[in-house]
Amino acid sequence: MTDLTAGLLAGTLDLLILKTLSFGALHGYGIAQNIRRFSGDALRVEEGSLYPALQRMQVKGWVRSQLQRTPTGRTGRYYELTDDGRTQLGHESESFLRSAAATTRVLRSTAG
């Protein structure tokens, strides 16, 4: 399992959060669990990385939050994507896919 705070995928945290929230509003724990589940248990997001990223994205207007009752009866802060967040998800997805394709071409290249 890769911890996103390890640095290798640090630039993708915002993208993963935006994509996860594109399916609907979630509290922080749910976001972390969905990223873990969608990655086949390959990626893990720690609270120390997740909440600062969510705060940063709120300041940028990509997500908004509100307090709601959780399925367990507790009160939790739920985050949801804004229209600007959906636009940003499109930009970040395209950029990531271009970068991954370029990196793949380098890795598959042969000398000569």
Side-chain angles (χ1 to χ4, degrees):
M1 185 177 305
T2 300
D3 179 355
L4 287 176
T5 61
L8 180 63
L9 297 174
T12 63
L13 180 56
D14 288 1
L15 173 60
L16 294 173
I17 292 170
L18 291 171
K19 179 61 181 178
T20 301
L21 289 175
S22 72
F23 300 118
L26 284 170
H27 49 72
Y29 180 76
I31 295 168
Q33 290 302 306
N34 278 350
I35 290 172
R36 185 175 179 166
R37 185 169 54 92
F38 295 151
S39 73
D41 285 333
L43 301 174
R44 177 173 40 102
V45 180
E46 299 292 337
E47 288 182 14
S49 299
L50 178 63
Y51 290 104
L54 286 167
Q55 178 62 34
R56 185 177 62 252
M57 288 191 281
Q58 276 193 288
V59 170
K60 291 180 178 179
W62 299 346
V63 300
R64 61 180 159 252
S65 68
Q66 64 180 357
L67 293 175
Q68 294 181 9
R69 189 158 307 275
T70 68
T72 60
R74 298 173 54 191
T75 301
R77 182 165 297 281
Y78 279 72
Y79 299 87
E80 65 181 341
L81 217 51
T82 64
D83 289 341
D84 286 347
R86 288 190 190 286
T87 300
Q88 187 63 26
L89 172 59
H91 294 313
E92 295 215 12
S93 294
E94 288 177 24
S95 176
F96 178 83
L97 292 172
R98 278 195 310 272
S99 177
T103 301
T104 299
R105 285 193 300 273
V106 171
L107 292 174
R108 291 185 175 163
S109 65
T110 57

